Amino acid sequence: MAGLMAGFGHYTHAIVRGIPASLVNEALRTSPTEVEVDLSKARREHEAYVEVLGTRLGLEVVELPADEALPDCVFVEDAAVVCGDTALITRTGAESRRREAEVMRGALKDLNLNIVEMTDENATLDGGDVLFTGREFFVGLSKRTNQRGAEILADAFKDYAVSTVPVLEGLHLKSFCSMGGPGLIVIGSSEPAQKALKIMQQMSDHRYDKLTVPDDLAANCIYMNLPNKGHVLLHCTSEEFPESAKVFEKLKDHLLIPVSNMEKVKVDGALTCCSVLINKKADI
Amino acid sequence: MTTEGGSETEVKEKAEESATQPDQSEKATEDSKEGVDAAGEEKEKEKEKVKEGKEGKGISRYLPTWLKKQKSQSQTSPTKEAPPTEEAVDTVTQEEQGSAPEVNGHAEEVEEKEAEKSEQVKEKEAESHSNASADTEPAKEEKVEESAEKSPEETKEATEGEDTEEQKKEQEGTANGEEEVGGGEGGEGQGNTSIFQSPLRLVRKSKMKLVVCHVNLLDGSDFSCEVEKRAKGQFLFFKVCEHLNLLEKDYFGLTYTDNHEQKCWLDPTKEIKRQIRSNNWQFAFNVKFYPPDPSLLTEDITRYLLCLQLREDVATGRLPCSFVTHALLGSYTLQAEFGDYEPDQPRPLDYISQRTFAPNQNKEMEEKILELHKSHRGMTPAQADTQFLENAKKLSMYGVDLHHAKDSEGVDIMLGVCANGLLVYKDRLRINRFAWPKILKISYKRNNFYIKIRPGETEQFESTVGFKLQNHRSAKRLWKVCVENHSFFRLNAPEPPTKARFLTLGSKFRYSGRTQAQSRVASSLIDRPAPNFERTSSKRISRSLDGAPVISITEAGTAENGRDPHLELHSDSKSPMRVHGDNIYVRHSNLMLEDHDKTQEEVLKHQASISQLKRSFMEAPPPSPPQPNQWEKRLTSSPATTIRIQPQQVASEPVTDAAAADNSAPDTKEPPKTTEVEIEETVVVQEVSKAPKPGLVTVTITSPSDYEIREHEPKSEEEAVVAEEAKAMTQESISSESESEEEAEYHPNVSVSFSNTQIPEEKEEEEEEQEKKEEGRSTPDTAPLPTEVIEPVEATSQEAEKEDVEKREKNTEEEEEKETETSTDDPMMTPEEAPNGHALPEESVTVTVSPVVEAEIEEEEPKMNGESSLVEAEARPQVICCSEPPVVKTEMVTISDTFAAQKTEIATKEVPIVHTETKTITYEAAQVDGNGDGEPGVLMTAQTITSESLCTTTTTHITKTLKGGLSETRIEKRIVITGDCDIDHDQALAQAIKEAKEQHPDMSVTRVVVHKETELAEEED
């Protein structure tokens, strides 16, 4: 039926953005690592990622040009939260990234989404802290996201419960979890991750199954429910996280697509970070 | 009032009654009884007042002179107590009552007599009422009701002839279910023959009359009907449901706006008048419990009403939703009310813009609504409603009742009560959630609201989370909402009755209706053709009824179409549903499923087939509708009984150990849920039970010489005023009492302690209370004056009841603190915790003040040792482990001789109690020894006698203790009298003492403890 909360995982469009060369040296990192990002390798990975979305899965991919002034611009997820036909343009926690919203806003407008701005100067929110389960939102209160930001998100998506979850470790809430299907939360096995899961479960009126993977970062995957393809899951490769990959492989009902993310992860980029998924053919 | 003539009438009346009852169905009988009880309660209350005023007299006969003095002091101290006039008037009565006990050897009998008396009085009242009343209408109506009890048909006839049309209608509607509902009224109406009228009565009668109630219905129309001024909430509610042709009424309720502009739920079990506290008989019909899955409702009409409520919720912003959802819901509304989109319709936007779909409605939204409306072509109204609900129910705030509060740090938050538990919001964010299974206890004190949380997997201890509300009314309101929601959604059936004994303590409020589970069963048995009803749409187009919350439209006729009066089923929470045989139809619960399919034809077909079929087994009694068992009846009739909301608590009682176990036991009722998270529901204990009972009279006679008398009589100024009016005003006086009680809430100490005692869980609270006591003291105003006189006697008696002990201790402490402050505070103390007087169940409606007289008489043979090593085990007390620390002290309360010296000092106001406490400690040690040596107490007898209005339970324990070669035999008698009506505690006490002496001439009465608990009628809300 048409209506509220129908079709979790239904997407028609994806917004992605290129990788600027500045990513290598200027992208924000949670921990100063000596590990250097191989730009060309990163770009190859990203191309593969986009290809999966567009070619393999048939989404209409909107590719935004990279901006050298915005080293983190490839991580489009943080710039906007889209649910239904409403898009919230965020005010990212890192001030250096605020301008990423400009191009994003334009793209979302082009898609005829209702744009909601986060104008409050006290609010910060990174899309990476927003976990939408299909029935409700969990917003991680992290270094990048504060209460006010979460409130504005709640205001933008009034239909849904918005619960806050403290993120004690890691960059974002989705640095250690994501949705693996309707009612299925993929969660890392670290203590902070498990703790966060507990909180989410306690805060929710709904029941969620969990899929625990050994590696927190591997818990970040992309679930879609696409026509003709059913449950689709983009997850880590066995090269990157062999143990976790095995866990994903147990999901029999899913179309499993391992996607390499070796380079971007060096600058805290996870799978979900690199796209904004949109369901434009909203039922209503 | 009790003149000889009166007694004659009484006899007559009784005869009539008895004759009548056999004829009636069981149910009817019950009802009638209840009705009687209710009426009796009022009377009793009146009496009670009087008695209270006179208190000293009753007991004084049995007490030494010095004691009398004290008593009188105590009496006088409360300015609010019954005025002299009242006394004068009532003197005669009082004496009569007083005499009664003497005649009977048994306390119980006395009680019964009292009950009878109350009935008499009541009847008399009724008589006088009818006679004196200038306008016949009220009297007739009452009559009718009465007759209704006998046979519905008669009622109708009578009604038709005499009543106005409107009344007729109402009566017809109500006739079926009426008995239950209108108990109070029926009772009043009972005697027409009256010969006797006291001037007072006349006064009163003039006051008694019908009142016009205006009820705002969900479609914006106004329904008005006349109800007797003393009608209970239930009565009005049923009339409204009748009018709406609504059978699945458990999800709904009536609200009124209190003096503080707060919306309150009308308690069905209480008199309307006492709740609204004003002359504004204006109500609103609303959804009280939002069904989590509306598709499980049986009837379309129920869904329709739910839709109306939700439309209002959405339009006012109470149920927030996004633009798209607004549009979607609006489009279903249009489809339901107008049918398919008509392209030809001129300027469709005009009519849309006249209705309110959203708080921030704009052209864009209206266009969207129209656009979506087009897509619903072919959808029936029922289908559209269903779709509406399917979407609305997913909204995160669906069914969430928000209350403003502050967290422990003073941050503004919102507490949301819903089907699943308690939600905590800060701004729009959910910051915490406590599912019902996680909550062990819910309580409130003053303006604090507490929930005790079950320990998580990794935690060892339960934690208590506290919130501050604006004021204690808010706290209480929140608490009540929690209690009701938990009961409704979480329990399969209302909590089972508690043991008789415990009934005396705790708050009386609990959810009185059916639970969702029961409601579902009941509605599955609905056998009637789907009622036709008109969706307000077409008529109301221009009026914008839908979205407009407050708009009242003159047109009422919403739900009445197609309804055949005879077909109506009246299912009351307490009565099995009745179906009038002629019209039996196959149940059509499947109909709804059909509706989901979009084919109208199928639906119609289905309906047609349904209407042709009859269900053979329909007569079978519906399984779940709770039929009052003995306990329930009692509960209903006596407010006091209601005390414990949760059975678990009951179990916990004085014996702490048991508590833990007990808690788990009750849990079993709840379906276990397994969740990955720790959310298993083992024990969900709702904390309800704080006893608000304002008036407690504790008389402890340890030895002949020792007397501990505490009088907590809640009397309010209003009472005094009322008193002048005398009996005629009974009702009012009652209300005033209740008010005073509410005020009492500010003083949590005493009452709390009492209630707490029995409930282990509460003990913690007690501690808290103690802390708060100081605060509480500040508000001494209304508080009744409790006087505590403790005279220590040689023999130390251990209180069998730990509770008492604790109470005393607390009292003592408190009082010490207060010192100057009169004991007055004590009675009121419990307030917050105590859910005051909401007595739920019942029919006890009138009984705002339900007095419970607990007389504990311990007879001890004087022992040489000051330490009586008696282990008085109450039946249960033998397990004395308290899981909760505060409880530990329990049993020690004994008044020791040492204090005897102090007796003299004991001024009424200064509570000797302090000493008591000390003593207690001492004895404790003694007790321990005693326990080791002595045999456990033996429960000799336990009997419960239940009369219509009173329940008397006598428990006798005999304890033999060997200590140091001395054997001591202690007999403890515990008499618990609970009743709707006022109990003459003096009389009861006197009787009990007398009886004890007679039975054991060779023993001495060492202690008498009287707890008198009065129920507050209405909360301030």
Side-chain angles (χ1 to χ4, degrees), chain A residues 107-123:
Chain A
L108 293 171
K109 273 186 179 165
D110 290 344
L111 290 171
N112 281 320
L113 296 176
N114 303 315
I115 307 295
V116 178
E117 300 283 351
M118 186 175 284
T119 51
D120 190 326
E121 292 189 352
N122 295 319

Side-chain angles (χ1 to χ4, degrees), chain B residues 346-363:
Chain B
R347 300 195 301 175
L349 279 181
D350 284 357
Y351 73 84
I352 288 187
S353 53
Q354 287 173 359
R355 344 182 85 228
T356 309
F357 295 100
N360 48 355
Q361 185 170 331
N362 53 25
K363 265 284 177 283

Side-chain angles (χ1 to χ4, degrees), chain A residues 1 20 31 40 44 46 55 101 114 129 143 158 165 175-176 188 196 203 208-209 226 243 248 254 265 269 273:
Chain A
M1 73 170 216
S31 54
S40 60
R44 274 201 303 279
H46 192 59
T55 309
N114 303 315
D129 277 318
K143 299 182 187 76
K158 292 194 181 73
V165 182
S175 295
F176 52 75
M203 301 274 264
Y208 294 103
D209 294 325
L226 300 177
E243 295 304 315
F248 284 116
H254 290 60
V265 79
C273 298

